[in-house]
Amino acid sequence: MYAVKASNYKGLRRGSPVYCRNNWHVHHAKEGGGQILVCVAGRGYYQEWGKEAVEMKPGDCINIPAGIKHWHGAAPDSWFSHLAVEVPGVDGSNEWLEAVSDGQYGVLK
């Protein structure tokens, strides 16, 4: 059995208020690892570095392999509630990076 860790999500464990998003970050692991996001309510976004943001609505699920730089959070005009599940891996760690800029976030609808 594996425990679900929610300690590194900076207030995103319950409901995220409008304009709330976390920093870019990477989940590292020598093997396995990563993260699974499940939108529970509201509307949010997930974005991988260098790719377009993906809108998340209730029931949407995203599997993020280890080593992918990404962020997730509320849509600019909505609150967002999601489950963020850390996938078990060998020598797993999280690396918190720069903030998602207002310019990057501001283009989302």
Side-chain angles (χ1 to χ4, degrees), residues 58-97:
D60 290 344
C61 184
I62 295 179
N63 182 25
I64 308 161
I68 302 294
K69 183 177 179 179
H70 67 282
W71 71 270
H72 38 99
D77 64 350
S78 178
W79 61 279
F80 179 53
S81 182
H82 69 297
L83 300 174
V85 180
E86 187 174 330
V87 177
V90 175
D91 293 331
S93 65
N94 296 329
E95 179 183 8
W96 291 96
L97 304 166

PDB file of all heavy atoms in Angstrom, residues 58-97:
ATOM      1  N   PRO A  58     -14.153  18.719 -14.285  1.00  0.00           N
ATOM      2  CA  PRO A  58     -14.422  17.566 -13.418  1.00  0.00           C
ATOM      3  C   PRO A  58     -14.411  16.240 -14.182  1.00  0.00           C
ATOM      4  O   PRO A  58     -15.003  16.114 -15.250  1.00  0.00           O
ATOM      5  CB  PRO A  58     -15.809  17.874 -12.855  1.00  0.00           C
ATOM      6  CG  PRO A  58     -15.834  19.371 -12.806  1.00  0.00           C
ATOM      7  CD  PRO A  58     -15.120  19.804 -14.065  1.00  0.00           C
ATOM      8  N   GLY A  59     -13.671  15.289 -13.618  1.00  0.00           N
ATOM      9  CA  GLY A  59     -13.539  13.964 -14.218  1.00  0.00           C
ATOM     10  C   GLY A  59     -12.298  13.807 -15.078  1.00  0.00           C
ATOM     11  O   GLY A  59     -11.890  12.687 -15.371  1.00  0.00           O
ATOM     12  N   ASP A  60     -11.676  14.912 -15.503  1.00  0.00           N
ATOM     13  CA  ASP A  60     -10.462  14.819 -16.317  1.00  0.00           C
ATOM     14  C   ASP A  60      -9.307  14.304 -15.472  1.00  0.00           C
ATOM     15  O   ASP A  60      -9.173  14.651 -14.294  1.00  0.00           O
ATOM     16  CB  ASP A  60     -10.090  16.177 -16.908  1.00  0.00           C
ATOM     17  CG  ASP A  60     -11.045  16.640 -17.991  1.00  0.00           C
ATOM     18  OD1 ASP A  60     -11.823  15.808 -18.503  1.00  0.00           O
ATOM     19  OD2 ASP A  60     -11.007  17.840 -18.333  1.00  0.00           O
ATOM     20  N   CYS A  61      -8.473  13.485 -16.093  1.00  0.00           N
ATOM     21  CA  CYS A  61      -7.345  12.859 -15.409  1.00  0.00           C
ATOM     22  C   CYS A  61      -6.111  12.988 -16.295  1.00  0.00           C
ATOM     23  O   CYS A  61      -6.198  12.767 -17.502  1.00  0.00           O
ATOM     24  CB  CYS A  61      -7.682  11.388 -15.166  1.00  0.00           C
ATOM     25  SG  CYS A  61      -6.457  10.488 -14.244  1.00  0.00           S
ATOM     26  N   ILE A  62      -4.988  13.359 -15.707  1.00  0.00           N
ATOM     27  CA  ILE A  62      -3.738  13.514 -16.451  1.00  0.00           C
ATOM     28  C   ILE A  62      -2.643  12.726 -15.742  1.00  0.00           C
ATOM     29  O   ILE A  62      -2.463  12.857 -14.537  1.00  0.00           O
ATOM     30  CB  ILE A  62      -3.342  15.001 -16.571  1.00  0.00           C
ATOM     31  CG1 ILE A  62      -4.394  15.732 -17.404  1.00  0.00           C
ATOM     32  CG2 ILE A  62      -1.946  15.150 -17.179  1.00  0.00           C
ATOM     33  CD1 ILE A  62      -4.155  17.199 -17.589  1.00  0.00           C
ATOM     34  N   ASN A  63      -1.930  11.909 -16.512  1.00  0.00           N
ATOM     35  CA  ASN A  63      -0.799  11.140 -16.007  1.00  0.00           C
ATOM     36  C   ASN A  63       0.476  11.853 -16.428  1.00  0.00           C
ATOM     37  O   ASN A  63       0.717  12.042 -17.617  1.00  0.00           O
ATOM     38  CB  ASN A  63      -0.841   9.720 -16.568  1.00  0.00           C
ATOM     39  CG  ASN A  63       0.284   8.867 -16.038  1.00  0.00           C
ATOM     40  OD1 ASN A  63       0.816   9.120 -14.962  1.00  0.00           O
ATOM     41  ND2 ASN A  63       0.653   7.857 -16.783  1.00  0.00           N
ATOM     42  N   ILE A  64       1.305  12.249 -15.467  1.00  0.00           N
ATOM     43  CA  ILE A  64       2.529  13.000 -15.741  1.00  0.00           C
ATOM     44  C   ILE A  64       3.721  12.106 -15.400  1.00  0.00           C
ATOM     45  O   ILE A  64       3.966  11.830 -14.224  1.00  0.00           O
ATOM     46  CB  ILE A  64       2.582  14.285 -14.888  1.00  0.00           C
ATOM     47  CG1 ILE A  64       1.291  15.085 -15.044  1.00  0.00           C
ATOM     48  CG2 ILE A  64       3.805  15.119 -15.261  1.00  0.00           C
ATOM     49  CD1 ILE A  64       1.068  16.091 -13.938  1.00  0.00           C
ATOM     50  N   PRO A  65       4.465  11.655 -16.405  1.00  0.00           N
ATOM     51  CA  PRO A  65       5.643  10.836 -16.113  1.00  0.00           C
ATOM     52  C   PRO A  65       6.701  11.626 -15.343  1.00  0.00           C
ATOM     53  O   PRO A  65       6.741  12.861 -15.410  1.00  0.00           O
ATOM     54  CB  PRO A  65       6.173  10.459 -17.502  1.00  0.00           C
ATOM     55  CG  PRO A  65       5.049  10.712 -18.448  1.00  0.00           C
ATOM     56  CD  PRO A  65       4.244  11.825 -17.836  1.00  0.00           C
ATOM     57  N   ALA A  66       7.568  10.928 -14.653  1.00  0.00           N
ATOM     58  CA  ALA A  66       8.686  11.578 -13.968  1.00  0.00           C
ATOM     59  C   ALA A  66       9.536  12.327 -14.990  1.00  0.00           C
ATOM     60  O   ALA A  66       9.637  11.930 -16.152  1.00  0.00           O
ATOM     61  CB  ALA A  66       9.528  10.536 -13.244  1.00  0.00           C
ATOM     62  N   GLY A  67      10.117  13.443 -14.541  1.00  0.00           N
ATOM     63  CA  GLY A  67      11.029  14.203 -15.386  1.00  0.00           C
ATOM     64  C   GLY A  67      10.385  15.264 -16.247  1.00  0.00           C
ATOM     65  O   GLY A  67      11.077  15.949 -16.996  1.00  0.00           O
ATOM     66  N   ILE A  68       9.073  15.435 -16.171  1.00  0.00           N
ATOM     67  CA  ILE A  68       8.363  16.422 -17.001  1.00  0.00           C
ATOM     68  C   ILE A  68       8.166  17.718 -16.207  1.00  0.00           C
ATOM     69  O   ILE A  68       7.516  17.724 -15.163  1.00  0.00           O
ATOM     70  CB  ILE A  68       6.987  15.888 -17.461  1.00  0.00           C
ATOM     71  CG1 ILE A  68       7.142  14.588 -18.247  1.00  0.00           C
ATOM     72  CG2 ILE A  68       6.222  16.930 -18.242  1.00  0.00           C
ATOM     73  CD1 ILE A  68       7.862  14.739 -19.576  1.00  0.00           C
ATOM     74  N   LYS A  69       8.697  18.822 -16.711  1.00  0.00           N
ATOM     75  CA  LYS A  69       8.497  20.134 -16.083  1.00  0.00           C
ATOM     76  C   LYS A  69       7.075  20.585 -16.391  1.00  0.00           C
ATOM     77  O   LYS A  69       6.667  20.613 -17.551  1.00  0.00           O
ATOM     78  CB  LYS A  69       9.531  21.124 -16.638  1.00  0.00           C
ATOM     79  CG  LYS A  69       9.471  22.499 -15.994  1.00  0.00           C
ATOM     80  CD  LYS A  69      10.588  23.385 -16.549  1.00  0.00           C
ATOM     81  CE  LYS A  69      10.552  24.778 -15.952  1.00  0.00           C
ATOM     82  NZ  LYS A  69      11.666  25.616 -16.477  1.00  0.00           N
ATOM     83  N   HIS A  70       6.323  20.968 -15.327  1.00  0.00           N
ATOM     84  CA  HIS A  70       4.916  21.309 -15.510  1.00  0.00           C
ATOM     85  C   HIS A  70       4.418  22.189 -14.359  1.00  0.00           C
ATOM     86  O   HIS A  70       5.110  22.392 -13.370  1.00  0.00           O
ATOM     87  CB  HIS A  70       4.067  20.038 -15.590  1.00  0.00           C
ATOM     88  CG  HIS A  70       4.034  19.275 -14.288  1.00  0.00           C
ATOM     89  ND1 HIS A  70       5.076  18.465 -13.874  1.00  0.00           N
ATOM     90  CD2 HIS A  70       3.097  19.214 -13.308  1.00  0.00           C
ATOM     91  CE1 HIS A  70       4.779  17.931 -12.695  1.00  0.00           C
ATOM     92  NE2 HIS A  70       3.579  18.381 -12.323  1.00  0.00           N
ATOM     93  N   TRP A  71       3.184  22.670 -14.508  1.00  0.00           N
ATOM     94  CA  TRP A  71       2.469  23.358 -13.433  1.00  0.00           C
ATOM     95  C   TRP A  71       0.999  23.009 -13.580  1.00  0.00           C
ATOM     96  O   TRP A  71       0.553  22.539 -14.627  1.00  0.00           O
ATOM     97  CB  TRP A  71       2.690  24.880 -13.472  1.00  0.00           C
ATOM     98  CG  TRP A  71       2.006  25.580 -14.606  1.00  0.00           C
ATOM     99  CD1 TRP A  71       2.522  25.820 -15.860  1.00  0.00           C
ATOM    100  CD2 TRP A  71       0.683  26.120 -14.619  1.00  0.00           C
ATOM    101  NE1 TRP A  71       1.613  26.468 -16.641  1.00  0.00           N
ATOM    102  CE2 TRP A  71       0.463  26.674 -15.899  1.00  0.00           C
ATOM    103  CE3 TRP A  71      -0.337  26.191 -13.690  1.00  0.00           C
ATOM    104  CZ2 TRP A  71      -0.736  27.280 -16.264  1.00  0.00           C
ATOM    105  CZ3 TRP A  71      -1.533  26.805 -14.056  1.00  0.00           C
ATOM    106  CH2 TRP A  71      -1.708  27.338 -15.322  1.00  0.00           C
ATOM    107  N   HIS A  72       0.215  23.295 -12.525  1.00  0.00           N
ATOM    108  CA  HIS A  72      -1.232  23.130 -12.572  1.00  0.00           C
ATOM    109  C   HIS A  72      -1.869  24.084 -11.582  1.00  0.00           C
ATOM    110  O   HIS A  72      -1.254  24.480 -10.598  1.00  0.00           O
ATOM    111  CB  HIS A  72      -1.668  21.680 -12.309  1.00  0.00           C
ATOM    112  CG  HIS A  72      -0.883  20.949 -11.278  1.00  0.00           C
ATOM    113  ND1 HIS A  72      -1.299  20.800  -9.977  1.00  0.00           N
ATOM    114  CD2 HIS A  72       0.308  20.321 -11.352  1.00  0.00           C
ATOM    115  CE1 HIS A  72      -0.410  20.102  -9.297  1.00  0.00           C
ATOM    116  NE2 HIS A  72       0.584  19.803 -10.111  1.00  0.00           N
ATOM    117  N   GLY A  73      -3.106  24.473 -11.868  1.00  0.00           N
ATOM    118  CA  GLY A  73      -3.818  25.385 -10.984  1.00  0.00           C
ATOM    119  C   GLY A  73      -5.138  25.819 -11.573  1.00  0.00           C
ATOM    120  O   GLY A  73      -5.578  25.317 -12.614  1.00  0.00           O
ATOM    121  N   ALA A  74      -5.780  26.761 -10.905  1.00  0.00           N
ATOM    122  CA  ALA A  74      -7.106  27.244 -11.294  1.00  0.00           C
ATOM    123  C   ALA A  74      -7.056  28.035 -12.591  1.00  0.00           C
ATOM    124  O   ALA A  74      -6.059  28.684 -12.903  1.00  0.00           O
ATOM    125  CB  ALA A  74      -7.677  28.122 -10.179  1.00  0.00           C
ATOM    126  N   ALA A  75      -8.148  27.983 -13.346  1.00  0.00           N
ATOM    127  CA  ALA A  75      -8.316  28.875 -14.497  1.00  0.00           C
ATOM    128  C   ALA A  75      -8.426  30.300 -13.957  1.00  0.00           C
ATOM    129  O   ALA A  75      -8.862  30.502 -12.816  1.00  0.00           O
ATOM    130  CB  ALA A  75      -9.566  28.493 -15.285  1.00  0.00           C
ATOM    131  N   PRO A  76      -8.042  31.303 -14.745  1.00  0.00           N
ATOM    132  CA  PRO A  76      -8.066  32.687 -14.249  1.00  0.00           C
ATOM    133  C   PRO A  76      -9.439  33.164 -13.757  1.00  0.00           C
ATOM    134  O   PRO A  76      -9.514  34.042 -12.922  1.00  0.00           O
ATOM    135  CB  PRO A  76      -7.611  33.507 -15.455  1.00  0.00           C
ATOM    136  CG  PRO A  76      -6.796  32.563 -16.268  1.00  0.00           C
ATOM    137  CD  PRO A  76      -7.450  31.221 -16.083  1.00  0.00           C
ATOM    138  N   ASP A  77     -10.514  32.554 -14.265  1.00  0.00           N
ATOM    139  CA  ASP A  77     -11.859  33.005 -13.896  1.00  0.00           C
ATOM    140  C   ASP A  77     -12.628  31.978 -13.069  1.00  0.00           C
ATOM    141  O   ASP A  77     -13.839  32.053 -12.950  1.00  0.00           O
ATOM    142  CB  ASP A  77     -12.660  33.347 -15.152  1.00  0.00           C
ATOM    143  CG  ASP A  77     -12.895  32.135 -16.055  1.00  0.00           C
ATOM    144  OD1 ASP A  77     -12.277  31.067 -15.810  1.00  0.00           O
ATOM    145  OD2 ASP A  77     -13.679  32.253 -17.001  1.00  0.00           O
ATOM    146  N   SER A  78     -11.918  31.009 -12.496  1.00  0.00           N
ATOM    147  CA  SER A  78     -12.607  29.929 -11.793  1.00  0.00           C
ATOM    148  C   SER A  78     -11.783  29.458 -10.601  1.00  0.00           C
ATOM    149  O   SER A  78     -10.583  29.664 -10.540  1.00  0.00           O
ATOM    150  CB  SER A  78     -12.811  28.745 -12.755  1.00  0.00           C
ATOM    151  OG  SER A  78     -13.437  27.654 -12.109  1.00  0.00           O
ATOM    152  N   TRP A  79     -12.433  28.796  -9.663  1.00  0.00           N
ATOM    153  CA  TRP A  79     -11.736  28.065  -8.634  1.00  0.00           C
ATOM    154  C   TRP A  79     -11.517  26.654  -9.174  1.00  0.00           C
ATOM    155  O   TRP A  79     -12.085  26.273 -10.201  1.00  0.00           O
ATOM    156  CB  TRP A  79     -12.518  28.065  -7.326  1.00  0.00           C
ATOM    157  CG  TRP A  79     -13.857  27.429  -7.436  1.00  0.00           C
ATOM    158  CD1 TRP A  79     -14.998  27.989  -7.923  1.00  0.00           C
ATOM    159  CD2 TRP A  79     -14.183  26.094  -7.084  1.00  0.00           C
ATOM    160  NE1 TRP A  79     -16.021  27.086  -7.895  1.00  0.00           N
ATOM    161  CE2 TRP A  79     -15.551  25.905  -7.382  1.00  0.00           C
ATOM    162  CE3 TRP A  79     -13.473  25.034  -6.542  1.00  0.00           C
ATOM    163  CZ2 TRP A  79     -16.205  24.703  -7.170  1.00  0.00           C
ATOM    164  CZ3 TRP A  79     -14.131  23.834  -6.330  1.00  0.00           C
ATOM    165  CH2 TRP A  79     -15.484  23.689  -6.641  1.00  0.00           C
ATOM    166  N   PHE A  80     -10.707  25.861  -8.493  1.00  0.00           N
ATOM    167  CA  PHE A  80     -10.303  24.553  -9.006  1.00  0.00           C
ATOM    168  C   PHE A  80     -10.003  23.631  -7.836  1.00  0.00           C
ATOM    169  O   PHE A  80      -9.285  24.004  -6.907  1.00  0.00           O
ATOM    170  CB  PHE A  80      -9.047  24.753  -9.854  1.00  0.00           C
ATOM    171  CG  PHE A  80      -8.442  23.521 -10.465  1.00  0.00           C
ATOM    172  CD1 PHE A  80      -9.191  22.639 -11.223  1.00  0.00           C
ATOM    173  CD2 PHE A  80      -7.090  23.265 -10.316  1.00  0.00           C
ATOM    174  CE1 PHE A  80      -8.607  21.527 -11.820  1.00  0.00           C
ATOM    175  CE2 PHE A  80      -6.491  22.161 -10.905  1.00  0.00           C
ATOM    176  CZ  PHE A  80      -7.254  21.295 -11.664  1.00  0.00           C
ATOM    177  N   SER A  81     -10.575  22.447  -7.859  1.00  0.00           N
ATOM    178  CA  SER A  81     -10.283  21.443  -6.842  1.00  0.00           C
ATOM    179  C   SER A  81      -9.830  20.175  -7.547  1.00  0.00           C
ATOM    180  O   SER A  81     -10.503  19.697  -8.461  1.00  0.00           O
ATOM    181  CB  SER A  81     -11.533  21.172  -5.998  1.00  0.00           C
ATOM    182  OG  SER A  81     -11.253  20.243  -4.980  1.00  0.00           O
ATOM    183  N   HIS A  82      -8.674  19.661  -7.137  1.00  0.00           N
ATOM    184  CA  HIS A  82      -8.165  18.462  -7.780  1.00  0.00           C
ATOM    185  C   HIS A  82      -7.386  17.604  -6.795  1.00  0.00           C
ATOM    186  O   HIS A  82      -6.938  18.076  -5.762  1.00  0.00           O
ATOM    187  CB  HIS A  82      -7.295  18.814  -8.979  1.00  0.00           C
ATOM    188  CG  HIS A  82      -5.982  19.460  -8.654  1.00  0.00           C
ATOM    189  ND1 HIS A  82      -5.866  20.678  -8.025  1.00  0.00           N
ATOM    190  CD2 HIS A  82      -4.720  19.053  -8.879  1.00  0.00           C
ATOM    191  CE1 HIS A  82      -4.584  20.988  -7.894  1.00  0.00           C
ATOM    192  NE2 HIS A  82      -3.865  20.015  -8.400  1.00  0.00           N
ATOM    193  N   LEU A  83      -7.271  16.339  -7.149  1.00  0.00           N
ATOM    194  CA  LEU A  83      -6.427  15.413  -6.418  1.00  0.00           C
ATOM    195  C   LEU A  83      -5.099  15.350  -7.154  1.00  0.00           C
ATOM    196  O   LEU A  83      -5.065  15.214  -8.369  1.00  0.00           O
ATOM    197  CB  LEU A  83      -7.042  14.017  -6.380  1.00  0.00           C
ATOM    198  CG  LEU A  83      -8.414  13.898  -5.732  1.00  0.00           C
ATOM    199  CD1 LEU A  83      -8.944  12.478  -5.910  1.00  0.00           C
ATOM    200  CD2 LEU A  83      -8.337  14.268  -4.267  1.00  0.00           C
ATOM    201  N   ALA A  84      -4.010  15.467  -6.440  1.00  0.00           N
ATOM    202  CA  ALA A  84      -2.670  15.355  -7.003  1.00  0.00           C
ATOM    203  C   ALA A  84      -2.016  14.165  -6.310  1.00  0.00           C
ATOM    204  O   ALA A  84      -1.687  14.244  -5.128  1.00  0.00           O
ATOM    205  CB  ALA A  84      -1.884  16.639  -6.781  1.00  0.00           C
ATOM    206  N   VAL A  85      -1.850  13.080  -7.037  1.00  0.00           N
ATOM    207  CA  VAL A  85      -1.347  11.839  -6.464  1.00  0.00           C
ATOM    208  C   VAL A  85       0.082  11.617  -6.931  1.00  0.00           C
ATOM    209  O   VAL A  85       0.356  11.583  -8.128  1.00  0.00           O
ATOM    210  CB  VAL A  85      -2.226  10.642  -6.893  1.00  0.00           C
ATOM    211  CG1 VAL A  85      -1.704   9.341  -6.294  1.00  0.00           C
ATOM    212  CG2 VAL A  85      -3.683  10.882  -6.502  1.00  0.00           C
ATOM    213  N   GLU A  86       0.989  11.477  -5.992  1.00  0.00           N
ATOM    214  CA  GLU A  86       2.380  11.182  -6.311  1.00  0.00           C
ATOM    215  C   GLU A  86       2.500   9.689  -6.593  1.00  0.00           C
ATOM    216  O   GLU A  86       2.125   8.853  -5.776  1.00  0.00           O
ATOM    217  CB  GLU A  86       3.270  11.578  -5.136  1.00  0.00           C
ATOM    218  CG  GLU A  86       4.740  11.474  -5.426  1.00  0.00           C
ATOM    219  CD  GLU A  86       5.592  12.021  -4.296  1.00  0.00           C
ATOM    220  OE1 GLU A  86       5.141  12.947  -3.593  1.00  0.00           O
ATOM    221  OE2 GLU A  86       6.696  11.508  -4.119  1.00  0.00           O
ATOM    222  N   VAL A  87       3.027   9.352  -7.774  1.00  0.00           N
ATOM    223  CA  VAL A  87       3.201   7.953  -8.160  1.00  0.00           C
ATOM    224  C   VAL A  87       4.483   7.422  -7.499  1.00  0.00           C
ATOM    225  O   VAL A  87       5.526   8.069  -7.579  1.00  0.00           O
ATOM    226  CB  VAL A  87       3.296   7.825  -9.698  1.00  0.00           C
ATOM    227  CG1 VAL A  87       3.560   6.386 -10.112  1.00  0.00           C
ATOM    228  CG2 VAL A  87       2.015   8.355 -10.350  1.00  0.00           C
ATOM    229  N   PRO A  88       4.400   6.266  -6.847  1.00  0.00           N
ATOM    230  CA  PRO A  88       5.597   5.715  -6.201  1.00  0.00           C
ATOM    231  C   PRO A  88       6.731   5.487  -7.207  1.00  0.00           C
ATOM    232  O   PRO A  88       6.498   5.085  -8.346  1.00  0.00           O
ATOM    233  CB  PRO A  88       5.112   4.378  -5.625  1.00  0.00           C
ATOM    234  CG  PRO A  88       3.640   4.527  -5.505  1.00  0.00           C
ATOM    235  CD  PRO A  88       3.229   5.424  -6.636  1.00  0.00           C
ATOM    236  N   GLY A  89       7.939   5.765  -6.763  1.00  0.00           N
ATOM    237  CA  GLY A  89       9.108   5.558  -7.604  1.00  0.00           C
ATOM    238  C   GLY A  89      10.344   5.345  -6.753  1.00  0.00           C
ATOM    239  O   GLY A  89      10.314   5.497  -5.538  1.00  0.00           O
ATOM    240  N   VAL A  90      11.421   5.022  -7.416  1.00  0.00           N
ATOM    241  CA  VAL A  90      12.696   4.801  -6.746  1.00  0.00           C
ATOM    242  C   VAL A  90      13.450   6.123  -6.656  1.00  0.00           C
ATOM    243  O   VAL A  90      13.632   6.802  -7.673  1.00  0.00           O
ATOM    244  CB  VAL A  90      13.538   3.756  -7.523  1.00  0.00           C
ATOM    245  CG1 VAL A  90      14.914   3.597  -6.897  1.00  0.00           C
ATOM    246  CG2 VAL A  90      12.806   2.419  -7.581  1.00  0.00           C
ATOM    247  N   ASP A  91      13.866   6.485  -5.448  1.00  0.00           N
ATOM    248  CA  ASP A  91      14.584   7.741  -5.205  1.00  0.00           C
ATOM    249  C   ASP A  91      13.820   8.945  -5.746  1.00  0.00           C
ATOM    250  O   ASP A  91      14.389   9.802  -6.430  1.00  0.00           O
ATOM    251  CB  ASP A  91      15.993   7.695  -5.807  1.00  0.00           C
ATOM    252  CG  ASP A  91      16.888   6.695  -5.095  1.00  0.00           C
ATOM    253  OD1 ASP A  91      16.662   6.455  -3.889  1.00  0.00           O
ATOM    254  OD2 ASP A  91      17.802   6.155  -5.738  1.00  0.00           O
ATOM    255  N   GLY A  92      12.546   9.026  -5.432  1.00  0.00           N
ATOM    256  CA  GLY A  92      11.707  10.130  -5.896  1.00  0.00           C
ATOM    257  C   GLY A  92      11.968  11.419  -5.137  1.00  0.00           C
ATOM    258  O   GLY A  92      12.320  11.404  -3.962  1.00  0.00           O
ATOM    259  N   SER A  93      11.824  12.518  -5.839  1.00  0.00           N
ATOM    260  CA  SER A  93      11.944  13.839  -5.217  1.00  0.00           C
ATOM    261  C   SER A  93      11.194  14.845  -6.075  1.00  0.00           C
ATOM    262  O   SER A  93      10.884  14.578  -7.242  1.00  0.00           O
ATOM    263  CB  SER A  93      13.413  14.260  -5.099  1.00  0.00           C
ATOM    264  OG  SER A  93      13.987  14.423  -6.385  1.00  0.00           O
ATOM    265  N   ASN A  94      10.894  15.978  -5.490  1.00  0.00           N
ATOM    266  CA  ASN A  94      10.239  17.072  -6.216  1.00  0.00           C
ATOM    267  C   ASN A  94      11.193  18.248  -6.281  1.00  0.00           C
ATOM    268  O   ASN A  94      11.837  18.592  -5.295  1.00  0.00           O
ATOM    269  CB  ASN A  94       8.954  17.510  -5.516  1.00  0.00           C
ATOM    270  CG  ASN A  94       7.918  16.410  -5.500  1.00  0.00           C
ATOM    271  OD1 ASN A  94       7.859  15.589  -6.398  1.00  0.00           O
ATOM    272  ND2 ASN A  94       7.116  16.375  -4.459  1.00  0.00           N
ATOM    273  N   GLU A  95      11.253  18.882  -7.423  1.00  0.00           N
ATOM    274  CA  GLU A  95      12.084  20.066  -7.626  1.00  0.00           C
ATOM    275  C   GLU A  95      11.168  21.234  -7.977  1.00  0.00           C
ATOM    276  O   GLU A  95      10.551  21.248  -9.028  1.00  0.00           O
ATOM    277  CB  GLU A  95      13.081  19.823  -8.758  1.00  0.00           C
ATOM    278  CG  GLU A  95      13.969  21.008  -9.058  1.00  0.00           C
ATOM    279  CD  GLU A  95      14.904  20.765 -10.228  1.00  0.00           C
ATOM    280  OE1 GLU A  95      14.783  19.733 -10.913  1.00  0.00           O
ATOM    281  OE2 GLU A  95      15.750  21.641 -10.470  1.00  0.00           O
ATOM    282  N   TRP A  96      11.076  22.206  -7.071  1.00  0.00           N
ATOM    283  CA  TRP A  96      10.256  23.389  -7.295  1.00  0.00           C
ATOM    284  C   TRP A  96      11.084  24.439  -8.016  1.00  0.00           C
ATOM    285  O   TRP A  96      12.207  24.728  -7.623  1.00  0.00           O
ATOM    286  CB  TRP A  96       9.703  23.908  -5.968  1.00  0.00           C
ATOM    287  CG  TRP A  96       8.693  22.955  -5.423  1.00  0.00           C
ATOM    288  CD1 TRP A  96       8.899  21.974  -4.494  1.00  0.00           C
ATOM    289  CD2 TRP A  96       7.333  22.845  -5.827  1.00  0.00           C
ATOM    290  NE1 TRP A  96       7.737  21.279  -4.279  1.00  0.00           N
ATOM    291  CE2 TRP A  96       6.753  21.794  -5.087  1.00  0.00           C
ATOM    292  CE3 TRP A  96       6.528  23.533  -6.735  1.00  0.00           C
ATOM    293  CZ2 TRP A  96       5.424  21.408  -5.234  1.00  0.00           C
ATOM    294  CZ3 TRP A  96       5.206  23.160  -6.866  1.00  0.00           C
ATOM    295  CH2 TRP A  96       4.667  22.107  -6.120  1.00  0.00           C
ATOM    296  N   LEU A  97      10.529  24.999  -9.077  1.00  0.00           N
ATOM    297  CA  LEU A  97      11.249  25.913  -9.959  1.00  0.00           C
ATOM    298  C   LEU A  97      10.609  27.298  -9.950  1.00  0.00           C
ATOM    299  O   LEU A  97       9.930  27.656  -8.993  1.00  0.00           O
ATOM    300  CB  LEU A  97      11.290  25.314 -11.369  1.00  0.00           C
ATOM    301  CG  LEU A  97      11.910  23.896 -11.424  1.00  0.00           C
ATOM    302  CD1 LEU A  97      11.615  23.229 -12.750  1.00  0.00           C
ATOM    303  CD2 LEU A  97      13.400  23.962 -11.155  1.00  0.00           C
TER     304      LEU A  97
END
